[in-house]
Amino acid sequence: MIYTDLLVVGAGPAGLSAAAAAGTQGLDVLVLERSHQPGGQLVKQTHMFFGSKEQYAAYRGFEIADFLLDMIKMPNVKLQLNATALAAYDDGIWTAQVGEKYIKVKPRAVVVAAGANERNILFPGNDLPGVYGAGAVQTLMNQYGVRPAKRVVMLGAGNIGLIVSYQLLQAGVEVAAVVEASPNIGGYLVHASKLRRMGVPILTSHTVKRADGNETLESVTTWAIDEKWQGIPSTEVIWSADTLCIAVGLSPLCELLWQAGCKMVFVPELGGYVPYRDGNMATSIEGIYAAGDAAGVEEASVAMVGGKLAGLSAARYLGVDIPDESILDCHKQLEALRSGPAGAKIRAGLGKLTH
Amino acid sequence: MRIEEHPILDFNRGKPITFTFDGQTVTSYENETVAVALHSAGIRILSRSQKQRPRGLYCAIGNCASCMMVVDGEANVKTCITLVQEGMEVKTQIGKGILA
């Protein structure tokens, strides 16, 4: 049995920020990370971040991952890689698989920052090799340096769809088209404009009808949809492509929170079922906190600030004297990140969460 | 299929390594996962469903089960988060995999 003050599940932007915040207060922290490489999805982000200085604006995601890893370099914080958290038990014991070993952890508090899962949608052929999550393609090209395809169709014009399309072009891959079911481009127009300047069509009010190929993907059929999101016959276009990227959103990975008995709320604006939490990231179960996409799908800057807030809240719960100003500073940063029209959906979702 | 020049990134692939896929030798690097190494070699079919439909990568970060293969005799290994090792024996998995 491993005893620790704080267990953090996930070494992405939220988990590392939580570990750094609690570790700086002198608490013993154990971070469990499923992958062989820490940093979560930051390691494949090659674009520069927005926001302010505290949120590493103007640095690229993979550089930010290195900053966060430096911040947890202290003797009381242990990062365990290749460690998959498995279960949360009623007696407060959490288990994990570390390589081939099964371990048990008895923490005094927990931050769950497990991230999110890429969604798929239904169409014939969506299981063909060559139909990938957009994040998977980003992993292949930006983390491992593998050109994932020759010619891609991208489904989804949110920020992930737009950014990954641009990164595909940077890696020398042809992007045939970006297809978006909604009548509007969901992502920032600065990203969309870059694609348009490079001649990539962005087709709004269109979706994928089917994917075809002998053993692996060879073509994608798209069609226009009406205001009820039904396909319009005879508008089909067949694109020759060896890869179809699906960028239709993420779902929070909160199985451990369900299992721990946390109250869960269905909030579509935050990606589906998310843990109820107060303004300081505390779930309905005493001593259990949630941060990052597992607490509601937003973006990496929010994950870092939310993670820090969760780490500070856990430290306060464990009896460390945390000044109110530190907590308020996190609130202020979160408010700034969620301000403006781009944050309207998130603000609406968070409004539902507290009721 | 590996990217040699990138406008922003440098790739640290580590030392060369060889392993086998269904008996055929594949050249890779120590910092690559099995799925990445196979993808670089142009191999996109990693397993087959119970109905024999081909399966490839989907999430590449260990969330889904689309990349599960038989590695050194062990079935249901998520090859997207498993690093290659010298001499590893990787096989296409058919159906639900059997405990060795």
Side-chain angles (χ1 to χ4, degrees), chain A residues 34 36 46 60 62 116-117 119 127 129 131-133 136 141-142 144-148 215 242-243 246 253, chain B residues 1-3 8-9 11 13 31 33 36 39-40 44-45 48 53-63 83:
Chain A
R34 174 176 62 190
H36 57 91
T46 55
R60 299 177 194 277
F62 64 91
N117 191 24
R119 292 198 195 133
D127 62 339
V131 180
Y132 301 148
M141 57 179 182
N142 293 351
Y144 294 105
V146 171
R147 193 166 286 124
E215 297 279 286
D242 60 356
T243 294
I246 311 287
L253 281 173
Chain B
M1 296 260 278
R2 287 186 181 85
I3 301 168
I8 295 163
L9 297 166
F11 300 105
R13 298 191 165 94
N31 295 337
T33 63
V36 163
H39 211 285
S40 313
R44 304 176 100 191
I45 299 170
R48 287 184 179 275
R53 287 180 70 85
R55 292 274 182 266
L57 268 181
Y58 186 75
C59 79
I61 53 171
N63 285 339
L83 290 174

Side-chain angles (χ1 to χ4, degrees), chain A residues 40 89 167 188 217 271 333 348:
Chain A
Y89 290 90
Q167 291 173 354
Y188 294 133
L217 184 74
Q333 287 189 52

Side-chain angles (χ1 to χ4, degrees), chain A residues 2-44:
Chain A
I2 298 166
Y3 293 91
T4 186
D5 292 325
L6 181 65
L7 170 67
V8 177
V9 179
L16 291 176
S17 302
T24 306
Q25 300 300 326
L27 296 173
D28 281 327
V29 183
L30 172 64
V31 186
L32 299 178
E33 167 55 47
R34 174 176 62 190
S35 171
H36 57 91
Q37 187 178 357
Q41 308 319 305
L42 285 174
V43 300
K44 61 194 192 192

Side-chain angles (χ1 to χ4, degrees), chain A residues 186-269:
Chain A
Y188 294 133
L189 289 179
V190 59
H191 298 311
S193 305
K194 280 201 226 169
L195 287 176
R196 285 214 164 124
R197 280 198 295 274
M198 293 181 79
V200 177
I202 302 177
L203 308 171
T204 52
S205 296
H206 279 70
T207 193
V208 170
K209 185 182 184 190
R210 56 181 302 122
D212 292 283
N214 173 33
E215 297 279 286
T216 62
L217 184 74
E218 290 165 20
S219 73
V220 178
T221 305
T222 62
W223 59 350
I225 55 175
D226 62 24
E227 61 278 6
K228 288 179 181 153
W229 292 46
Q230 300 301 307
I232 302 171
S234 73
T235 61
E236 289 91 345
V237 176
I238 300 175
W239 306 84
S240 150
D242 60 356
T243 294
L244 168 60
C245 283
I246 311 287
V248 296
L250 303 164
S251 303
L253 281 173
C254 40
E255 294 90 339
L256 289 166
L257 296 165
W258 278 104
Q259 200 179 28
C262 297
K263 180 184 167 191
M264 305 296 287
V265 190
F266 187 72
V267 185
E269 292 90 342

Side-chain angles (χ1 to χ4, degrees), chain A residues 130-143:
Chain A
V131 180
Y132 301 148
V137 161
Q138 208 181 24
T139 298
L140 286 176
M141 57 179 182
N142 293 351
Q143 189 173 353

